[in-house]
Amino acid sequence: MGMESKEMTSSNVDKNETKPDEDSKKGSCCLLADKIPARYILSGVFFLGIISLVTIRNGFSVAIVVMVNSSSSATPANQSAAIYQLCPSSGSGNTSTQNEEGELEWSKSLRGTLLGAYYYGYIITQVVGGVLEQKLGGKIVYGTGILAIAALDALGPVASRTSPWAMFAVRFTMGLVSGVLFPTMYGVLGRWAPPTERTRLLAFCYIGLPIGNFINYPLASFLAAELGWDAIFYVPGAFAAAWLVVWLLLAYDSPAKHPRILEEEQKYIEESTGVKVQQKPRVPWLKVFSSLPAWALIVGQFYSNWSKYFLLTQLPNYMKNVLGFNIRTNGLLSALPFLLEMVSMLASSVAADRLIQGGKIPKVWIRRVIVITGCIGMVTCGLVLANLSGCNPFVAVALLCLLQAFYALTTSGMRAVHVEFAPRFSGVTFALANTAGTLPGIFAPLLVGFITENDPTVGAWSKIFYIGAAIQGLGGIFTVVFMRTDVQPWARGEGDEETNIQDKDLVITNEHAEKQVVEMLSTKL
């Protein structure tokens, strides 16, 4: 009994001695930060930041529909041809009224240029974003970026009434600033996401894209109808300001820099990612550019983003001028593809992580099969849309929803590979891929404007869908053939550890498995 009481006393003393250390590590700003692992909180804040970004940047594609007087548009060159068939109004729910005309006289080609202006700037700063994240840290770069974009967007109404080129300058500058955001996110998550959770954590962040669009289109349509299109440029900025406060309180560049993370979680993250030392490595640019797996992700981002940017920039236009929906119905229906994208992204990401944890199928083939499924689906939807006979607005909307659902598979199929094959340089490799992935944001509006300027017909839109299907088919083949998920030799450095030896796709999923591996190795020795 004496010995037991001594042990109990010493145990209590030990607990009392370690408790202050734990409390100093966990001292938090809110109850939430104590109850949820820090990596999940970080992903949640990224998720909210992406929603804020999307509602700020994409409101313009709805606003431009009601800002512009469409009577200034050119008339169809082949109006008498049999192929010309703009969908007529079909009841109150599908009525594009003539009094929905804006105050600005912008041609279709000019509208295409303005819709693409954001992406002209966006493409320039992708690689800069990856470098800035390594130099300054993601907390500063990401937070400052969101704040600056909200401030620039508020200049939209004044700029558009002053000159279309003033609006071009605003959108271009917004693109320059926001180009650093996603590479920054990848750089930060490369240090925070354990291998078996990467798909899930990235997907959770990326779900902010479809949810943001699902919010944006009805919200922007409502604001335009009730308060005027100016409100589209002001309301999302208030949400960005509230988000910034949360970001400053809860986001940190790495587990080692987090003042409240549990030591157990920090140790788990650092050991599972294989990076225990805080480093600012030099990027091996020549090896990156000569790596076929890196080019597979670059090409993959380009082809998959074609459908994404087509919908982001042209969906309200297509809904109004081809399918004949008014601004309220336009906003609601434009949101549906992004709702289905969210469901598809969640389901495929959870399925991918479970298959990876099972360890029965090589990780690279899990990724490839998902990419193949998404690619075949996008090509099929594009070809069916190009060959729709007659006016079938609701069939077209259903196909656009499916197109976006198949696009969502690229998140679990390709986007997570950046933090797998080059975790030390995931921000940089994603920046390169997203540079190529931004090109559709530039060329899709220009292509639509060029083809439909003097020929706004269903036949002209069919050509656009055929071009998209060809891009997606060829790009998908290249990506599937050359994509890899094992850490590339040029992405390793001092202080890094291989999480596996015999099978690079096998990862340790929990502490029990780690102990078993250590026991096995010690027995062999």
Side-chain angles (χ1 to χ4, degrees):
M1 284 288 293
M3 289 291 294
E4 286 180 5
S5 64
K6 278 184 180 179
E7 286 175 5
M8 288 176 64
T9 305
S10 67
S11 174
N12 289 335
V13 170
D14 290 340
K15 284 181 182 177
N16 290 333
E17 287 175 356
T18 57
K19 192 174 179 183
D21 293 333
E22 241 183 47
D23 287 345
S24 64
K25 192 76 175 171
K26 282 192 66 183
S28 67
C29 60
C30 59
L31 183 62
L32 180 68
D34 285 346
K35 301 299 182 183
I36 304 175
R39 62 190 185 277
Y40 297 157
I41 291 176
L42 179 66
S43 297
V45 181
F46 271 126
F47 161 78
L48 294 174
I50 290 174
I51 291 177
S52 178
L53 170 65
V54 168
T55 54
I56 291 169
R57 78 177 186 184
N58 294 345
F60 182 59
S61 62
V62 177
I64 199 170
V65 173
V66 291
M67 291 165 63
V68 176
N69 189 333
S70 60
S71 63
S72 62
S73 303
T75 55
N78 62 340
Q79 188 164 354
S80 60
I83 196 172
Y84 178 65
Q85 188 177 0
L86 287 174
C87 291
S89 301
S90 58
S92 59
N94 186 26
T95 306
S96 185
T97 58
Q98 293 300 315
N99 60 359
E100 289 178 353
E101 298 298 344
E103 60 191 87
L104 305 174
E105 300 286 338
W106 292 347
S107 67
K108 286 191 175 182
S109 58
L110 178 58
R111 278 177 258 169
T113 301
L114 292 174
L115 284 168
Y118 175 91
Y119 302 102
Y120 298 164
Y122 188 70
I123 196 172
I124 294 172
T125 52
Q126 292 296 307
V127 177
V128 175
V131 174
L132 283 176
E133 188 276 328
Q134 288 192 329
K135 298 289 185 184
L136 303 177
K139 183 168 186 172
I140 293 174
V141 176
Y142 200 89
T144 305
I146 293 289
L147 180 63
I149 292 165
L152 286 165
D153 193 47
L155 299 175
V158 174
S160 59
R161 290 188 175 101
T162 301
S163 162
W165 300 112
M167 189 61 185
F168 181 94
V170 168
R171 296 290 297 176
F172 178 82
T173 309
M174 286 176 65
L176 279 177
V177 176
S178 64
V180 306
L181 298 181
F182 281 98
T184 296
M185 183 184 78
Y186 268 83
V188 173
L189 289 179
R191 294 184 292 273
W192 274 95
T196 55
E197 297 179 19
R198 282 170 181 165
T199 311
R200 237 173 310 174
L201 292 176
L202 272 172
F204 184 62
C205 296
Y206 263 102
I207 285 171
L209 289 171
I211 290 181
N213 283 306
F214 185 71
I215 294 170
N216 172 63
Y217 286 105
L219 175 63
S221 298
F222 171 80
L223 292 174
E226 297 297 327
L227 303 177
W229 58 264
D230 299 57
I232 296 173
F233 295 90
Y234 301 136
V235 172
F239 179 76
W243 170 87
L244 184 62
V245 175
V246 177
W247 174 258
L248 293 174
L249 290 173
L250 299 178
Y252 293 91
D253 294 333
S254 67
K257 290 185 177 181
H258 199 301
R260 296 178 298 274
I261 189 173
L262 288 173
E263 290 182 6
E264 182 183 355
E265 183 185 5
Q266 181 180 341
K267 182 180 177 183
Y268 166 64
I269 293 172
E270 290 176 344
E271 289 186 352
S272 62
T273 57
V275 181
K276 294 185 180 181
V277 182
Q278 288 292 313
Q279 302 177 32
K280 292 186 178 179
R282 182 173 295 178
V283 181
W285 292 108
L286 183 60
K287 292 180 180 179
V288 173
F289 280 113
S290 60
S291 170
L292 279 175
W295 278 103
L297 297 180
I298 291 170
V299 172
Q301 195 94 337
F302 174 81
Y303 90 77
S304 67
N305 275 9
W306 183 267
S307 67
K308 167 188 170 181
Y309 285 125
F310 169 77
L311 290 181
L312 288 180
T313 60
Q314 298 302 316
L315 190 55
N317 175 25
Y318 184 74
M319 290 285 189
K320 179 184 177 183
N321 296 317
V322 177
L323 302 184
F325 292 108
N326 65 24
I327 189 62
R328 285 184 178 276
T329 310
N330 188 332
L332 292 171
L333 292 179
S334 293
L336 288 180
F338 302 103
L339 177 63
L340 203 57
E341 177 191 355
M342 176 187 67
V343 175
S344 174
M345 191 182 295
L346 268 175
S348 62
S349 299
V350 171
D353 272 350
R354 286 187 177 179
L355 289 171
I356 290 169
Q357 289 173 1
K360 295 180 180 179
I361 305 173
K363 188 194 298 181
V364 68
W365 279 106
I366 295 172
R367 303 293 190 202
R368 283 173 175 168
V369 169
I370 294 173
V371 170
I372 291 169
T373 305
C375 182
I376 291 174
M378 285 192 290
V379 171
T380 303
C381 290
L383 292 176
V384 176
L385 278 165
N387 287 280
L388 276 182
S389 58
C391 180
N392 298 289
F394 292 103
V395 173
V397 170
L399 286 167
L400 290 169
C401 289
L402 288 173
L403 181 68
Q404 198 66 2
F406 284 116
Y407 158 78
L409 298 182
T410 62
T411 298
S412 52
M414 284 188 301
R415 307 297 168 90
V417 175
H418 289 282
V419 292
E420 291 173 342
F421 93 128
R424 283 157 49 88
F425 305 110
S426 54
V428 173
T429 59
F430 178 79
L432 293 171
N434 212 32
T435 299
T438 304
L439 291 173
I442 296 172
F443 292 118
L446 291 177
L447 180 70
V448 172
F450 175 77
I451 292 178
T452 64
E453 177 76 46
N454 295 310
D455 184 25
T457 65
V458 171
W461 284 89
S462 293
K463 296 175 187 176
I464 296 166
F465 288 125
Y466 276 126
I467 292 170
I471 290 170
Q472 289 156 355
L474 294 173
I477 292 170
F478 184 90
T479 299
V480 168
V481 171
F482 294 108
M483 185 171 67
R484 299 290 184 272
T485 57
D486 53 303
V487 178
Q488 299 300 292
W490 49 265
R492 296 193 183 280
E494 294 180 10
D496 288 4
E497 299 175 354
E498 290 192 44
T499 56
N500 45 66
I501 298 173
Q502 295 177 341
D503 182 1
K504 290 183 179 180
D505 283 332
L506 179 64
V507 287
I508 298 171
T509 59
N510 54 47
E511 207 175 325
H512 177 65
E514 286 179 1
K515 288 178 182 176
Q516 285 185 325
V517 171
V518 171
E519 285 172 7
M520 258 175 19
L521 290 174
S522 60
T523 302
K524 288 182 181 179
L525 291 172

